[in-house]
Amino acid sequence: MKRILIVGSLNMDTVLEVPYLPRAGETITGKNITLIPGGKGANQAYAAGKLGGDVVMAGAVGDDSFGDRLRANLKEVGVNTTPIVEISGVPTGQAYIIVDDNGENSITLIRGTNGEVTCKMAESWKKYIETCDILIMQLEIPLDTVLYVKNLAVNLGKTVILDPAPAKKEFPDGFWQGIDYIKPNETELSILTGKAIDTKENIINGASEMLDKGVKNVIVTLGEKGCFLVNRSVQKFFPAEKVKAVDTTAAGDCFTAAFALALSRGETEDEAVNFGQKVSSIAVTRKGAQTSIPDASEL
Ligand code: RIB
């Protein structure tokens, strides 16, 4: 099995369950509040580890109980957390997540130590980049660090997967060049391209724009509908299984991790997309980020 390295964020999620998402100026009464390990990077590492992958996580946490709990959770599913740097005097990243009765959420991030993941820190991860086969990143750490790590990995011929979330509008030159897969949802693709993404034609055009920027494959996830895989020779739709969603938090992270895990086992792209959809369709039926992720026996 190939090795997967995740470079990215770790957050402690404070999850508020509410009947509906409050409007500006409105006060509502919540139903429950829970602390759940999260962060897009850590969720991907946790999912790939829980599903049986050979996984290493690199990122940063604070010298606090959230940092300890996040690392312990990853270790429990066999993730190698050795490269995670502990920074004193900066709190571990946090996310405040509001989830409504329909499973829709809104997320506010406090970057904490995720904002301190510098290129210098990433330099100390060179041996992990050299010894991995597949690299996964997201956009919750500084963009120049993502670019630096991506360039190292591309030059070494690694398979690079980027989850462009949270999506941004501005990127440094050469940012997209050489990335093997990006996995935006419709909203993220719309932010990346500055165009509406609401029809099949829009999705293909938006994905093609990302191919023109240097990405080799674009997987556009469409929630309960399924996803599109677009590259220079394929434009293929994969329908999703119908499930009753209770919380969509980390569904995209599960997809990315499961897709990478299937590739690490030597499966084809199509098989990997189907596996990604299968794992995320289970995750949305459960509450929380890492608490919602299934293990291999459940599949
Ligand atoms: O993708 C879900 C994740 O986004 C949450 O766990 C939260 O920490 C934010 O990073």
Side-chain angles (χ1 to χ4, degrees):
M1 184 185 300
K2 293 179 173 170
R3 174 166 297 164
I4 302 171
L5 169 67
I6 288 104
V7 175
S9 57
L10 300 102
N11 291 326
M12 184 56 76
D13 294 350
T14 298
V15 182
L16 287 170
E17 289 170 50
V18 294
Y20 60 93
L21 302 181
R23 286 164 299 175
E26 186 180 9
T27 301
I28 62 168
T29 302
K31 300 174 170 182
N32 200 10
I33 180 164
T34 334
L35 280 178
I36 299 178
K40 294 187 196 305
N43 294 344
Q44 291 163 357
Y46 185 88
K50 196 165 180 189
L51 292 165
D54 176 2
V55 185
V56 184
M57 167 97 211
V61 292
D63 173 12
D64 50 35
S65 61
F66 286 171
D68 293 344
R69 187 161 160 207
L70 286 162
R71 279 179 293 190
N73 216 44
L74 291 174
K75 278 188 202 154
E76 251 174 45
V77 293
V79 174
N80 177 355
T81 60
T82 318
I84 296 177
V85 177
E86 186 176 291
I87 305 174
S88 307
V90 183
T92 297
Q94 293 187 57
Y96 287 82
I97 305 182
I98 309 178
V99 184
D100 74 11
D101 279 348
N102 298 318
E104 294 297 333
N105 65 41
S106 85
I107 303 182
T108 303
L109 292 175
I110 302 294
R111 283 185 114 187
T113 44
N114 295 316
E116 306 294 318
V117 179
T118 57
C119 295
K120 188 152 184 282
M121 190 184 284
E123 232 180 272
S124 70
W125 296 329
K126 261 188 183 161
K127 73 168 178 198
Y128 297 101
I129 300 168
E130 280 160 9
T131 52
C132 81
D133 301 286
I134 299 174
L135 168 73
I136 309 180
M137 290 192 287
Q138 335 71 38
L139 302 180
E140 287 181 343
I141 60 170
L143 272 190
D144 55 347
T145 310
V146 176
L147 176 61
Y148 176 80
V149 174
K150 185 271 296 184
N151 283 341
L152 283 178
V154 168
N155 289 336
L156 289 164
K158 309 298 178 185
T159 299
V160 177
I161 303 174
L162 177 77
D163 188 348
K168 304 181 190 316
K169 289 180 182 158
E170 305 284 335
F171 290 88
D173 287 347
F175 186 86
W176 302 104
Q177 209 60 47
I179 297 178
D180 293 281
Y181 298 93
I182 61 166
K183 185 221 69 67
N185 60 27
E186 296 146 294
T187 312
E188 288 153 358
L189 186 60
S190 170
I191 296 170
L192 294 178
T193 58
K195 296 186 179 130
I197 302 290
D198 46 15
T199 65
K200 179 182 167 190
E201 203 190 352
N202 281 342
I203 292 168
I204 309 273
N205 289 342
S208 304
E209 211 173 289
M210 299 312 295
L211 298 179
D212 292 342
K213 290 183 180 173
V215 174
K216 296 179 194 161
N217 296 276
V218 182
I219 301 169
V220 186
T221 52
L222 311 170
E224 59 185 8
K225 290 180 227 127
C227 67
F228 263 102
L229 170 66
V230 182
N231 58 37
R232 290 286 178 215
S233 45
V234 170
Q235 297 174 354
K236 187 167 175 185
F237 178 66
F238 295 77
E241 269 176 48
K242 290 267 170 287
V243 291
K244 167 126 184 53
V246 298
D247 181 0
T248 58
T249 309
D253 303 330
C254 281
F255 179 97
T256 306
F259 174 79
L261 179 76
L263 291 186
S264 81
R265 292 192 298 223
E267 291 171 30
T268 64
E269 246 167 32
D270 282 19
E271 286 166 337
V273 169
N274 284 326
F275 189 61
Q277 294 217 111
K278 172 108 197 147
V279 174
S280 57
S281 74
I282 294 178
V284 298
T285 64
R286 301 169 182 177
K287 291 180 185 176
Q290 288 170 35
T291 43
S292 69
I293 296 167
D295 65 24
S297 69
E298 296 176 80
L299 296 153

